[in-house]
Amino acid sequence: MSEHPETTYAVLGLVDKLPGSSGYELAGVAANSLAFFWPVSRTLLYRELTRLSAMGWVEPTRVEQTHAPSKWTYRTTSDGQRALSDWLATPPDSAGSERNPVLLRLFFSYRLPPEQARSLLSGYRDRLEMQRDQLNAISEKLSATATPQARAGWLAARHGVLTIEAALLWVDEAEAFLAEAPW
Amino acid sequence: MSEHPETTYAVLGLVDKLPGSSGYELAGVAANSLAFFWPVSRTLLYRELTRLSAMGWVEPTRVEQTHAPSKWTYRTTSDGQRALSDWLATPPDSAGSERNPVLLRLFFSYRLPPEQARSLLSGYRDRLEMQRDQLNAISEKLSATATPQARAGWLAARHGVLTIEAALLWVDEAEAFLAEAPW
DNA sequence: GTTATCATGTAAAGCGTTACATGATTGT
DNA sequence: ACAATCATGTAACGCTTTACATGATAAC
């Protein structure tokens, strides 16, 4: 009953959601889903797949291809599915550490000329808008499907959209606040 | 010009903001400020203070106390202040990785009985409300002060409040969504 | 007496990132 | 020719966390 990092379950869940996928394919999916609330780098993803195979939670299968290199594909075993369910039932540990490098700078930005503080904010806005557009595109795609998997994905995307829009409103507020009385 | 991790600058900025503080005191402040957008564990904070001292970016001073153990206090040097300004001017690297263990579970929650999915959401709401209350308390304290430092802190707290409130709205939505058609 | 606050540290473990490496196929 | 996609891996590094350790004072 040793505890594993959350990322292990993130990958296990992905395999379970997309049985018969290769690491490469899973990485592609992760980049458009997990990446928004639980980033997993490609290297780490491969390492977790190896680990999950060793633990018997997923079963690897070699698939030969003619048009591309051979690949490994994965499916959850019944042990893996049980482990996934068990983990899902455990309460998430306290607030996930949110790391926001923009806020970190803003927190000390009274040491910055006003113009640079402004550009910090507008850079943030640009990135938020891009993320929001990405998420909206994903949402639209998902809302076309009625499976539980797609609906769960849609909900997660919706969380992203709402919080990003709140952050965008904050940028407006912050700009006005600084314009009124810069430091 | 070697690059240092963001946390090094987070601590440097803290020392600069509260000159003459001890590691212990800084840890207390960090828990009510940085923790919301750039968590720094106590152990790490101490290590960074040692590192910053070795680099000459902060100057440590021993202070003897009668009512408590002796302590080290720190102040930024002019080198440190320059380093802080330089870092502030560098653009934050791409989106900070947001890790949300609740969304991670929700993303796979179609494997969960509806009741447990609901309790996942209500647990999230509870934690969000606590955080919001904490942030509001901090905001109020800060809004009583008119220094640039306090105003910057207020802005950062405001970001937290707005995004948390958005997340709370999402919880309502998600509950309605699941109530309408559970999986 | 026991809890809370003050105060600083060490050691181990491992998660996660970045860089490097390889090589076939398909399209322009 | 050159870039893009498919596909998987290794190695090194180091940030970060968790657990462990110590010990004084003040309050209830």
Side-chain angles (χ1 to χ4, degrees), chain B residues 44-167:
Chain B
L44 186 49
L45 176 67
Y46 278 114
R47 197 160 78 196
E48 292 299 341
L49 285 172
T50 307
R51 176 188 295 195
L52 287 167
S53 302
M55 289 194 301
W57 285 2
V58 305
E59 201 208 330
T61 308
R62 190 73 176 174
V63 173
E64 307 294 337
Q65 294 181 124
T66 51
H67 60 292
S70 303
K71 63 181 179 182
W72 289 102
T73 62
Y74 303 88
R75 294 176 182 279
T76 46
T77 62
S78 50
D79 270 11
Q81 285 167 19
R82 211 171 310 124
L84 181 58
S85 293
D86 288 349
W87 166 76
L88 276 173
T90 64
D93 51 32
S94 61
S97 55
E98 193 171 338
R99 259 143 215 252
N100 188 328
V102 174
L103 285 185
L104 181 58
R105 280 166 177 74
L106 181 99
F107 189 61
F108 302 122
S109 63
Y110 49 85
R111 279 209 159 273
L112 222 47
E115 191 218 314
Q116 284 187 38
R118 276 196 298 275
S119 89
L120 187 64
L121 288 174
S122 67
Y124 190 37
R125 173 185 286 120
D126 291 346
R127 247 169 306 131
L128 287 170
E129 282 174 347
M130 276 195 298
Q131 271 186 53
R132 183 198 51 192
D133 294 345
Q134 266 181 73
L135 281 173
N136 275 328
I138 291 168
S139 285
E140 271 188 52
K141 246 183 249 170
L142 288 175
S143 62
T145 316
T147 61
Q149 283 91 336
R151 297 180 72 223
W154 182 83
L155 266 185
R158 179 78 182 142
H159 183 284
V161 171
L162 287 179
T163 53
I164 286 172
E165 280 173 352

Side-chain angles (χ1 to χ4, degrees), chain A residues 6-7 9-10 13-14 16-17 33-40 76 81 84-85 87-112 116 120 124 127 131 148-149 151-156 158-160 162-163 166-167 169-170 173-174 177-178 180-183, chain B residues 6-7 9-10 13-14 16-17 33-40 76 81 84-85 87-112 116 120 124 127 131 148-149 151-156 158-160 162-163 166-167 169-170 173-174 177-178 180-183:
Chain A
E6 299 273 290
T7 301
Y9 296 98
L14 252 199
D16 186 61
K17 202 167 199 167
S33 54
L34 285 189
F36 292 97
F37 47 85
W38 203 273
V40 178
T76 47
Q81 285 167 17
L84 181 58
S85 293
W87 167 76
L88 276 173
T90 64
D93 51 32
S94 61
S97 55
E98 193 170 337
R99 259 141 214 257
N100 188 327
V102 174
L103 285 185
L104 181 57
R105 281 166 177 76
L106 181 99
F107 189 62
F108 302 122
S109 63
Y110 49 87
R111 280 207 159 274
L112 222 47
Q116 284 187 37
L120 188 64
Y124 190 36
R127 246 168 308 131
Q131 271 186 54
Q149 283 90 337
R151 296 180 72 223
W154 182 84
L155 267 185
R158 178 80 181 141
H159 183 283
L162 287 180
T163 53
L169 284 179
W170 172 83
E173 263 196 38
F177 185 81
L178 289 184
E180 208 185 298
W183 39 68
Chain B
E6 298 272 292
T7 302
Y9 295 98
L14 252 200
D16 186 61
K17 201 168 199 165
S33 55
L34 284 189
F36 292 96
F37 48 85
W38 203 271
V40 178
T76 46
Q81 285 167 19
L84 181 58
S85 293
W87 166 76
L88 276 173
T90 64
D93 51 32
S94 61
S97 55
E98 193 171 338
R99 259 143 215 252
N100 188 328
V102 174
L103 285 185
L104 181 58
R105 280 166 177 74
L106 181 99
F107 189 61
F108 302 122
S109 63
Y110 49 85
R111 279 209 159 273
L112 222 47
Q116 284 187 38
L120 187 64
Y124 190 37
R127 247 169 306 131
Q131 271 186 53
Q149 283 91 336
R151 297 180 72 223
W154 182 83
L155 266 185
R158 179 78 182 142
H159 183 284
L162 287 179
T163 53
L169 284 179
W170 173 84
E173 262 195 39
F177 185 81
L178 289 184
E180 210 185 299
W183 42 66

Side-chain angles (χ1 to χ4, degrees), chain A residues 3-16:
Chain A
E3 258 160 50
H4 297 283
E6 299 273 290
T7 301
T8 301
Y9 296 98
V11 174
L12 177 61
L14 252 199
V15 173
D16 186 61

Side-chain angles (χ1 to χ4, degrees), chain A residues 132-156:
Chain A
R132 183 199 51 191
D133 295 345
Q134 266 182 73
L135 281 174
N136 276 328
I138 290 167
S139 285
E140 272 188 51
K141 244 182 249 169
L142 288 175
S143 62
T145 316
T147 61
Q149 283 90 337
R151 296 180 72 223
W154 182 84
L155 267 185

